[in-house]
Amino acid sequence: MTHSSHFVVIGKTAKTGARIYQRLQQQGAAVRAVSRTSEPAFDWQQRDTWARALKGATAAYISYQPDLAIEQAADDIAAFIEVAKAQGLEHLVLLSGRGEPGAERAENLLINSGLDWNVVRAAWFAQNFSESFMAEGIVSGELVLPAGEVLEPFVDADDIAEVALRCLLDKTKRNRLFEVTGSELLSFADCVNEISRQLAKPIRYRQVSIEAYLELLQQQAVPQDLQDLLKELFTAVFDGRNAHLCDGIEQATSAKPRRFAEYVAKAIATGHWQTAGV
């Protein structure tokens, strides 16, 4: 199967970008995935890398680093849209967050850009437990976070990738926003309990204050921009505003979202947390 479009995936090594790149390759699409270490390189902090990374493309998938919640994001997205237009791109698919004012600003810039667009507004990734900053806590047997009983519809990154793939390949899906969530509302403690159950290993979830958590991040020498982002997410976004399910995955793919327990089984099968049994 071939496609006349030439796709660029921004975020070659990111959780969604890597999955979308793989799927486009499997479809026989002409696709290039870029990151800070690719050739050509793409770096959000070096705008002079953007045009070359987009050269010859007609569509792009955008995952912004570190997150659309940061202050700089909207300005970067506005500048990116102008570079994309100058390079002749026709269609942009933006990965966005739920309930973040910064993310909504970026979405509106794209929607009003004059280009064909899609917004994939995603809940927290289930993969944050296995492929991101929470994996260490799972392996060590204690996950410490400043989140209490607030519920989140954790979504599988494979489902996000399937939605983005449909947006890129199916012209009838263009100019639509898909809000994607998992199929159930869970607390962080619920998630840890499910991982613990399937690993057959005791893992504790411990809630701490945001102040204690930021102190912990400083001790671990976590970069300041990530500290600021996590503070924003845990103080503003985790206030219950996202404790509802949406059917964006079903709208885009006609499939049901994967359940959290399915994600856990898949993560174990592919070797995540493999040191957890030691």
Side-chain angles (χ1 to χ4, degrees):
M1 184 178 180
T2 58
H3 303 274
S4 57
S5 299
H6 188 122
F7 301 101
V8 171
V9 174
I10 292 164
K12 182 176 185 175
T13 57
K15 287 183 280 295
T16 57
R19 288 167 165 86
I20 293 161
Y21 179 50
Q22 180 186 39
R23 283 164 170 77
L24 284 166
Q25 284 185 310
Q26 288 167 351
Q27 292 283 336
V31 57
R32 173 196 313 142
V34 293
S35 66
R36 281 180 297 185
T37 56
S38 65
E39 176 51 45
F42 181 96
D43 188 337
W44 282 110
Q45 295 180 330
Q46 295 184 30
R47 293 184 180 183
D48 59 355
T49 64
W50 299 358
R52 187 161 168 252
L54 294 176
K55 190 174 176 63
T58 55
Y61 171 80
I62 309 163
S63 59
Y64 179 82
Q65 295 296 326
D67 193 274
L68 289 174
I70 71 166
E71 203 171 316
Q72 178 68 23
D75 191 44
D76 283 341
I77 294 297
F80 178 88
I81 289 168
E82 292 313 307
V83 173
K85 283 181 172 178
Q87 289 297 317
L89 272 78
E90 301 161 5
H91 180 208
L92 299 178
V93 178
L94 176 69
L95 176 68
S96 187
R98 301 172 86 215
E100 302 166 14
E104 288 179 15
R105 284 194 293 273
E107 292 171 8
N108 288 328
L109 286 166
L110 176 56
I111 290 165
N112 296 308
S113 68
L115 296 172
D116 281 349
W117 61 272
N118 287 101
V119 170
V120 182
R121 188 186 283 168
W124 258 51
F125 299 179
Q127 277 75 7
N128 284 337
F129 289 94
S130 54
E131 300 175 29
S132 193
F133 69 99
M134 296 194 290
E136 197 177 319
I138 298 298
V139 171
S140 70
E142 182 179 66
L143 180 62
V144 178
L145 288 175
E149 290 305 304
V150 69
L151 301 176
E152 174 71 15
F154 295 92
V155 64
D156 193 310
D158 284 317
D159 283 334
I160 301 171
E162 291 290 342
V163 171
L165 184 72
R166 298 302 199 289
C167 291
L168 289 165
L169 296 182
D170 182 353
K171 288 188 176 181
T172 69
K173 298 283 194 296
R174 288 191 187 183
N175 304 316
R176 291 175 64 184
L177 184 153
F178 294 100
E179 189 157 353
V180 299
T181 72
S183 59
E184 59 211 315
L185 290 167
L186 300 167
S187 67
F188 281 90
D190 293 333
C191 294
V192 169
N193 289 340
E194 179 60 28
I195 296 167
S196 174
R197 185 184 72 78
Q198 291 200 36
L199 282 172
K201 172 185 185 289
I203 305 169
R204 180 176 172 229
Y205 177 73
R206 181 159 64 93
Q207 182 189 356
V208 294
S209 69
I210 187 68
E211 292 78 16
Y213 183 63
L214 292 172
E215 200 174 307
L216 192 65
L217 295 180
Q218 284 185 321
Q219 289 168 10
Q220 295 171 347
V222 171
Q224 188 61 48
D225 61 347
L226 182 54
Q227 288 189 42
D228 293 343
L229 171 62
L230 291 170
K231 181 180 180 182
E232 161 78 9
L233 292 175
F234 283 114
T235 55
V237 179
F238 276 106
D239 61 359
R241 71 181 70 182
N242 292 330
H244 58 275
L245 305 177
C246 294
D247 62 353
I249 291 169
E250 205 163 354
Q251 285 178 21
T253 69
S254 301
K256 297 278 190 192
R258 292 169 171 87
R259 293 178 62 81
F260 189 81
E262 292 176 65
Y263 147 72
V264 175
K266 186 173 52 174
I268 293 170
T270 50
H272 291 288
W273 311 309
Q274 56 190 346
T275 54
V278 175

